[in-house]
């Protein structure tokens, strides 16, 4: 009898321990899901202040409520650019909003400057090296003063700049709501040809030759030499175009960032950008942003003439070497970028 009572007591303790463990796990699950959904559904103002201290000069406020009259006309220009993006997103809603929820991986191109409360989405081949240099000056706490003193390879080291995907969900939400968000765009085909020239016609880009060039030559060149198959250093623009529009390429995953669409890199139909700068007005737009940030007294955007820059005339010459079918397919691939950022269809296209 005594033995039976001891057994019952021991079993009772085990049951209580199991129940406590299950209850604890249930509570953790509740807190986990609350932590996931609360930032989207409801904000805690105390938590926001704790994680994200506010600076004395707010670029976002300066844009929408300019304290200087000289900003007013420029602010109107950027309003028309924002409207163009919004109208395109509405018109092509079914195709432009296939992914309604962004993941942290979608935010890796958004560089954060907590000090001046700005977020910059970098687009390769649209002055992103110089803008990364500027962001390193702004976020370097005095380590840098002249952007052009920063080597170009240093500007592309991921550890030198913090991107939005490195923050927690509450911190991401706070910054998307409170910081000035901007990006720079370029005529899509001019950017595409610039990427091709930089990655496939320069001898030092061996990593791109190996990674992409060999694949392109193997797929699209008949009677390729062994040297071309192994080195991939002489990819023709026609072969590059064929690679881009090949359904097999799209099935392999996202395009490389140097020729991926701006729409896919920066998600302008999901993230509201306050400023859309253009490569064609790079210096003017860049220095306007620096004035909004209150740093124009000691920092200006770097300018220098590059004779090797890809021009519209040069782009037309490359497109004359591909078929009208490839031209049409490439336009469809970059159509949203053309429409969203108000670039007209190039006159040199031979669309049937």
């Amino acid at each position: 009898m005594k033995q039976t009572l001891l057994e019952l007591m021991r079993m009772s303790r085990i049951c209580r321990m199991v129940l406590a463990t299950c209850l604890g796990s249930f509570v953790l699950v509740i807190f986990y899901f609350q932590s996931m959904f609360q930032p989207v559904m409801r904000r805690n103002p105390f938590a926001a202040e704790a994680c994200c201290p506010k600076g004395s000069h707010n670029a976002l406020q300066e844009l929408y409520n300019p304290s200087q009259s000289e900003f007013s006309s420029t602010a109107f220009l950027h309003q028309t650019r924002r409207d163009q993006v919004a109208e395109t997103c509405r018109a092509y809603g079914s195709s432009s909003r296939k992914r309604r929820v962004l993941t942290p991986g979608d935010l890796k191109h958004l560089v954060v400057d907590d000090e001046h409360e700005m977020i910059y989405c970098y687009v390769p081949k649209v002055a992103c090296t110089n803008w990364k240099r500027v962001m390193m000056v702004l976020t370097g706490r005095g380590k840098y003063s002249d952007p052009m003193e920063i080597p170009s390879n240093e500007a592309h080291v991921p550890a030198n700049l913090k991107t939005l995907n490195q923050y927690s969900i509450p911190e991401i939400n706070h910054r998307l709501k409170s910081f000035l968000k901007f990006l720079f765009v370029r005529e899509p085909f001019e950017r595409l040809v610039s990427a091709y020239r930089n990655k496939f016609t320069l001898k030092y880009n061996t990593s791109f030759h190996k990674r992409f060039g060999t694949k392109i030559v193997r797929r699209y060149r008949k009677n390729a030499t062994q040297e071309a198959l192994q080195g991939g250093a002489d990819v023709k623009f026609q072969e590059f175009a064929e690679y881009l529009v090949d359904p097999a390429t799209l099935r392999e995953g996202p395009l490389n960032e140097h020729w991926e669409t701006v729409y896919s890199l920066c998600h302008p139909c999901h993230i509201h950008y306050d400023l859309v700068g253009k490569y064609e007005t790079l210096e003017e737009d860049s220095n306007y942003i620096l004035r909004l940030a209150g740093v124009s007294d000691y920092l200006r955007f770097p300018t220098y003439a590059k004779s090797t820059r890809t021009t519209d005339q040069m782009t037309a010459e490359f497109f004359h070497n591909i078929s009208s079918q490839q031209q049409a397919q490439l336009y469809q691939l970059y159509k949203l970028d053309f429409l969203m950022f108000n670039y007209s269809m190039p006159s040199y296209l031979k669309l049937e």
Side-chain angles (χ1 to χ4, degrees):
M1 183 69 176
K2 184 177 180 180
Q3 185 67 27
T4 303
L5 286 172
L6 288 172
E7 283 293 324
L8 288 172
M9 291 173 65
R10 188 169 66 85
M11 290 177 65
S12 178
R13 281 199 304 273
I14 292 173
C15 289
R16 286 198 301 271
M17 290 172 63
V18 170
L19 180 62
T21 302
C22 292
L23 183 60
S25 300
F26 180 68
V27 171
L28 284 174
V29 169
I30 290 175
F31 280 128
Y32 173 73
F33 280 100
Q34 280 184 335
S35 68
M36 286 181 66
F37 293 110
Q38 189 175 13
V40 178
M41 297 169 62
R42 185 171 66 244
R43 292 184 183 277
N44 183 336
F46 299 103
E49 287 299 321
C51 75
C52 314
K54 194 174 180 62
S56 58
H57 188 103
N58 187 282
L60 191 65
Q61 292 177 0
E62 192 64 44
L63 172 65
Y64 291 106
N65 299 290
S67 59
Q68 301 179 43
S69 58
E70 62 179 289
F71 287 171
S72 300
S73 59
T74 310
F76 178 77
L77 166 67
H78 287 284
Q79 179 63 57
T80 61
R81 292 179 182 177
R82 286 193 298 274
D83 291 344
Q84 179 71 25
V85 172
E87 287 171 13
T88 306
C89 291
R90 283 194 294 269
Y92 293 85
S94 58
S95 60
S96 65
R97 290 180 178 269
K98 288 179 182 177
R99 296 177 62 191
R100 295 184 178 275
V101 179
L102 297 180
T103 66
D106 295 319
L107 307 176
K108 62 185 179 181
H109 272 249
L110 278 72
V111 177
V112 179
D113 174 8
D114 282 318
E115 178 71 21
H116 303 92
E117 300 188 342
M118 298 195 300
I119 296 174
Y120 160 59
C121 184
Y122 72 88
V123 178
K125 309 312 299 175
V126 192
C128 79
T129 300
N130 278 349
W131 255 112
K132 285 183 176 181
R133 285 169 164 153
V134 169
M135 295 297 281
M136 286 175 69
V137 172
L138 291 173
T139 61
R141 298 185 181 277
K143 183 178 179 180
Y144 309 101
S145 58
D146 181 359
M148 294 310 291
E149 289 181 354
I150 303 172
S152 59
N153 61 312
E154 281 290 309
H156 297 293
V157 174
N160 287 335
L161 290 166
K162 195 167 185 180
T163 50
L164 194 59
N165 61 305
Q166 296 173 270
Y167 292 83
S168 68
I169 291 176
E171 291 171 327
I172 289 172
N173 286 341
H174 171 82
R175 282 158 178 77
L176 287 176
K177 179 181 178 182
S178 306
F179 285 20
L180 182 138
K181 300 167 292 298
F182 68 96
L183 76 162
F184 276 79
V185 299
R186 184 178 185 177
E187 201 278 342
F189 286 166
E190 189 179 302
R191 174 177 169 246
L192 179 64
V193 170
S194 177
Y196 164 76
R197 292 179 65 220
N198 181 257
K199 301 307 175 186
F200 294 110
T201 68
L202 301 178
K203 292 182 178 179
Y204 65 80
N205 269 323
T206 54
S207 62
F208 273 81
H209 302 162
K210 287 285 187 182
R211 184 179 174 188
F212 297 101
T214 54
K215 181 193 297 185
I216 292 172
V217 169
R218 186 171 63 252
R219 286 184 182 177
Y220 310 110
R221 184 177 303 180
K222 295 179 180 179
N223 304 317
T225 64
Q226 198 62 31
E227 181 183 1
L229 289 169
Q230 292 179 352
D234 62 340
V235 171
K236 306 295 187 291
F237 185 71
Q238 182 179 0
E239 296 168 336
F240 179 55
E242 195 169 352
Y243 164 75
L244 289 174
V245 301
D246 190 339
T249 301
L250 302 179
R251 287 195 297 268
E252 290 172 355
L255 297 174
N256 179 268
E257 62 177 10
H258 292 85
W259 46 82
E260 179 62 281
T261 63
V262 177
Y263 163 74
S264 297
L265 290 176
C266 296
H267 313 285
C269 288
H270 297 79
I271 296 172
H272 172 78
Y273 286 93
D274 305 290
L275 281 167
V276 176
K278 293 204 169 187
Y279 193 73
E280 296 78 14
T281 52
L282 176 63
E283 184 177 357
E284 180 183 348
D285 292 345
S286 297
N287 287 318
Y288 174 61
I289 292 169
L290 296 178
R291 289 199 304 274
L292 291 175
V295 298
S296 57
D297 289 343
Y298 66 87
L299 180 62
R300 290 191 66 78
F301 191 79
T303 57
Y304 59 96
K306 287 191 69 174
S307 58
T308 58
R309 175 182 175 267
T310 301
T311 63
D312 182 68
Q313 182 180 353
M314 194 181 297
T315 302
E317 292 173 2
F318 277 93
F319 270 75
H320 285 155
N321 294 324
I322 64 175
S323 68
S324 57
Q325 181 183 6
Q326 285 181 322
Q327 290 182 5
Q329 289 173 314
L330 284 174
Y331 183 77
Q332 285 302 313
L333 181 61
Y334 293 94
K335 183 177 180 178
L336 279 178
D337 282 3
F338 274 101
L339 298 177
M340 197 168 290
F341 306 116
N342 203 27
Y343 289 106
S344 57
M345 181 184 292
S347 59
Y348 54 75
L349 292 186
K350 309 185 297 285
L351 302 184
E352 295 177 348

